[in-house]
Amino acid sequence: MRQLGQILLDEGLVTESQLTAALAEQRVRGQSLGRTLVEIGLLDERQLVAALAAQVGMAFIDLEDYPVDRMAVSLVPGALCRRHVVLPIAIEDGVLVLATANAGNVVAVDDVRTYCGMAVRTVVATQDDLARAIDRFCRVDGEIENLSSAFEQEVAPDEDDELTRMGDVAEDEAPVVRFVNLLVAQAITDRASDIHIEPAEHDVRIRYRIDGVLHETQRAPKQIQGGVISRVKIMSDIDIAERRKPQDGRMSVTHNGRTVDLRVATLPTVWGEKIVLRILDSSSSRLDLRDLSFLAGNLDAYRAAYTKPYGMILVTGPTGSGKSTTLYATVNAVSRPEINVITVEDPVESRIEGVNQVQVNPKAGLTFAGALRSILRSDPDVVLLGEIRDHETAQISVEAALTGHLVLSTLHTNDAPSAVTRLVEMGIEPFLVGSALDAVVAQRLARRLCDRCKQAYRPSDDELAVAGFGLAPDGERPTTFRPVGCEACSRTGFRGRIAIHEVMRVTEEIERHAVARSSSADIARTARRQGMVPLRQDGWSKVLLGLTSMEEVLRVVA
């Protein structure tokens, strides 16, 4: 067996001097040579795994590019793959090719050989690539379909009998419990933001919202409807006997060793109660503003606003446009031990360390306005208000901004200039709006192009004209990118999302517009003249950077 250092020299991955220095560092650190080389930056993880595979005479594969045979994957249960962290990727001459991160895992090879009754040949892949591939290929859809078919022969229960069946539903062995658990687990694995459980006339439709777009994943039999709805209600501490009015709840599940919170909402429809589960990503509470794809000019304008000790900053946009994420990142930017930050939210989506977060509870009389009045007596420096919904909340927020507090909140408007007119329409005196409001950020979320498969092209003049975009400064048609689709992005061409922003600073001239009750169109013209970049133009800049496509910008921006 060749030594690892010799393999790295032969492959040209390190030089003699680098290897000598790494060996000396290895003795100091008391760890393996390979791990030392990675930690000091001479190798990356993939190069190290490839070299270690060569050392034991095994093939290394890059699973991100390898054409995995789904027929081979289907031969081994997903639970077995996850337990041993292995994945069947091909069948060659009657031999099953098994990818593993641990070349010496003979127990995994024996289990796979015993289960599928085939000879097994192992190849090596990185741990991270293997984990992503297992999530991508070892889906639970088949098991969900099997559970669904188990209900086909059952008679649909009467509503009066539903409560008597709850004891059965609450049992961990009940198929409906397994069905709900699999739905949630697969949604988290697929990076979904929402799960829609929608009763129809003859069945129940299951849809996931992934990267802002809904995808239908299952059609379950009508017989499962009552049990699934009751199970979700029990997990969310919602009244299972109430079916006539909307209800809200919250639950937590454990997925791959981490706790994930879900916000649950029920809505009575003609075919039964629709349930939407919002998967709350706790990582958003730790984001930095630089992670939110602000362009440099917009970020500078926004930073100038939130670094002031007082004033009001509003983030506007439709539901699901990432407003809360932007506010959380702003709180992270301003939060310091010497600053008292208090939030009022409905609900509290993510817990932030060092921040006092208040959950609105209308049943107990704790409304946005009531909570806001109370926390202003708690000596806050920064106040985050989940949403400005009515005149009373808006009035207290404006007064707080005028009396030395930095107020962060959201508002539902189509663009940044409309926030000024919206506050006036809510009954706030125009001169107060102009004085209190310091900046407005309008934003949308667009799908991010997959870096592995996006394709460069030059759009035609007609495409540019329809999109409202122009030629490059030199008169040439610009180079843009379009989605293609690969295994890494589940053949969609997109993976993840980026934010498109419009940042409007409230200047003296815009204050005069507010006092004069000018239209949002007049305010927008003034803001653009003073340097505000409109949503569509910001989106076009991100198209030119290769972050998203023209069609995607037009989908989310009017």
Side-chain angles (χ1 to χ4, degrees):
M1 181 187 296
R2 287 191 298 163
Q3 293 295 317
L4 177 62
Q6 190 59 50
I7 293 174
L8 296 173
L9 289 173
D10 293 343
E11 295 290 335
L13 296 174
V14 297
T15 63
E16 288 276 4
S17 59
Q18 287 174 330
L19 181 59
T20 301
L23 288 169
E25 184 68 21
Q26 174 199 1
R27 287 190 289 273
V28 174
R29 293 171 178 250
Q31 59 188 14
S32 68
L33 174 61
R35 186 50 48 195
T36 301
L37 286 164
V38 170
E39 291 187 1
I40 65 178
L42 292 178
L43 287 183
D44 60 32
E45 198 70 36
R46 185 172 276 103
Q47 291 170 327
L48 173 60
V49 174
L52 291 173
Q55 187 180 19
V56 296
M58 296 180 67
F60 170 80
I61 60 166
D62 184 349
L63 277 178
E64 292 289 350
D65 295 324
Y66 192 89
V68 175
D69 184 351
R70 291 181 182 269
M71 183 63 71
V73 175
S74 66
L75 295 176
V76 181
L80 184 60
C81 292
R82 293 182 189 279
R83 183 163 70 248
H84 292 303
V85 196
V86 296
L87 182 70
I89 59 173
I91 301 173
E92 297 177 354
D93 300 326
V95 176
L96 185 68
V97 181
L98 186 71
T100 176
N102 182 1
N105 191 353
V106 294
V107 175
V109 176
D110 287 342
D111 284 353
V112 171
R113 183 187 297 115
T114 301
Y115 186 88
C116 64
M118 297 176 65
V120 175
R121 177 171 66 85
T122 54
V123 294
V124 179
T126 68
Q127 185 90 16
D128 289 344
D129 285 354
L130 200 51
R132 284 193 293 268
I134 290 172
D135 285 342
R136 193 159 64 242
F137 293 105
C138 296
R139 299 177 58 83
V140 299
D141 297 6
E143 190 173 353
I144 293 175
E145 289 175 3
N146 292 338
L147 284 171
S148 298
S149 63
F151 290 88
E152 292 286 2
Q153 304 303 321
E154 292 187 7
V155 178
D158 294 332
E159 288 194 357
D160 293 338
D161 296 334
E162 190 63 34
L163 292 178
T164 64
R165 299 178 69 251
M166 285 307 99
D168 296 332
V169 170
E171 294 294 330
D172 287 342
E173 302 83 37
V176 71
V177 174
R178 179 69 177 155
F179 183 89
V180 173
N181 291 346
L182 290 174
L183 281 183
V184 174
Q186 189 61 62
I188 297 171
T189 299
D190 288 349
R191 302 176 298 104
S193 60
D194 300 88
I195 307 169
H196 291 245
I197 303 174
E198 302 171 324
E201 183 177 5
H202 302 296
D203 56 15
V204 179
R205 180 169 64 167
I206 311 295
R207 295 194 289 174
Y208 295 160
R209 186 177 294 278
I210 302 172
D211 292 338
V213 177
L214 281 170
H215 301 269
E216 183 174 320
T217 60
Q218 293 291 328
R219 285 274 183 173
K222 189 72 173 177
Q223 288 88 341
I224 202 175
Q225 175 179 321
V228 168
I229 291 172
S230 297
R231 174 60 183 169
V232 173
K233 283 184 169 183
I234 289 172
M235 295 173 70
S236 311
D237 197 22
I238 292 175
D239 184 1
I240 61 174
E242 179 57 70
R243 303 184 183 90
R244 299 166 299 174
K245 64 182 183 182
Q247 298 185 82
D248 296 312
R250 189 184 182 108
M251 66 170 159
S252 297
V253 299
T254 301
H255 180 74
N256 290 343
R258 67 185 180 101
T259 300
V260 178
D261 293 329
L262 295 95
R263 190 175 71 201
V264 181
T266 70
L267 181 69
T269 71
V270 293
W271 302 119
E273 288 180 281
K274 170 185 168 75
I275 292 184
V276 177
L277 299 92
R278 166 66 59 88
I279 300 171
L280 304 176
D281 184 5
S282 60
S283 63
S284 64
S285 64
R286 299 184 295 273
L287 279 175
D288 189 279
L289 281 168
R290 289 170 295 187
D291 300 327
L292 302 185
S293 57
F294 274 96
L295 294 181
N298 281 339
L299 183 57
D300 289 343
Y302 187 49
R303 185 182 290 114
Y306 72 71
T307 51
K308 292 180 61 176
Y310 56 85
M312 176 185 283
I313 298 174
L314 294 178
V315 182
T316 75
T319 301
S321 60
K323 300 187 297 295
S324 296
T325 300
T326 299
L327 287 181
Y328 281 142
T330 307
V331 166
N332 288 334
V334 301
S335 181
R336 300 188 302 276
E338 63 269 24
I339 296 292
N340 181 21
V341 182
I342 305 179
T343 76
V344 185
E345 304 171 67
D346 183 21
V348 175
E349 294 192 4
S350 299
R351 273 65 171 178
I352 308 176
E353 186 177 354
V355 174
N356 306 283
Q357 295 176 274
V358 178
Q359 169 77 54
V360 169
N361 187 353
K363 292 181 181 177
L366 185 61
T367 62
F368 270 116
L372 188 53
R373 275 194 299 268
S374 298
I375 66 175
L376 289 178
R377 295 191 289 270
S378 300
D379 187 30
D381 296 294
V382 179
V383 177
L384 187 155
L385 188 63
E387 182 182 348
I388 294 179
R389 301 180 177 178
D390 52 43
H391 166 75
E392 187 178 9
T393 306
Q395 186 70 41
I396 300 171
S397 301
V398 167
E399 290 172 356
L402 291 171
T403 54
H405 304 90
L406 179 63
V407 179
L408 310 172
S409 189
T410 69
L411 195 65
H412 286 282
T413 63
N414 289 328
D415 55 18
S418 298
V420 176
T421 55
R422 176 75 181 117
L423 288 174
V424 173
E425 288 169 2
M426 293 176 75
I428 308 302
E429 289 294 336
F431 70 91
L432 292 179
V433 173
S435 300
L437 195 58
D438 194 68
V440 184
V441 179
Q443 74 177 49
R444 301 290 188 275
L445 292 180
R447 289 180 292 175
R448 180 190 291 271
L449 285 168
C450 174
D451 289 331
R452 300 187 69 89
C453 65
K454 64 184 180 183
Q455 183 182 72
Y457 79 107
R458 288 184 181 274
S460 67
D461 293 340
D462 290 340
E463 288 177 306
L464 291 172
V466 169
F469 301 136
L471 299 176
D474 58 4
E476 293 291 326
R477 280 182 284 123
T479 298
T480 61
F481 294 83
R482 57 187 164 204
V484 176
C486 65
E487 292 293 347
C489 60
S490 302
R491 299 292 174 187
T492 63
F494 298 96
R495 185 171 178 82
R497 289 190 286 180
I498 62 167
I500 297 172
H501 302 98
E502 178 179 84
V503 181
M504 183 185 78
R505 293 297 309 275
V506 179
T507 61
E508 289 185 11
E509 193 169 350
I510 291 177
E511 282 188 44
R512 287 195 289 271
H513 275 300
V515 173
R517 297 178 182 266
S518 300
S519 68
S520 58
D522 291 337
I523 297 173
R525 278 192 289 271
T526 299
R528 285 195 295 269
R529 190 173 66 250
Q530 294 178 346
M532 181 188 78
V533 179
L535 278 168
R536 182 179 285 201
Q537 188 59 46
D538 188 72
W540 176 236
S541 298
K542 285 160 185 172
V543 168
L544 295 178
L545 291 172
L547 299 176
T548 189
S549 67
M550 276 201 310
E551 293 76 15
E552 187 64 12
V553 171
L554 297 178
R555 182 182 70 85
V556 299
V557 179

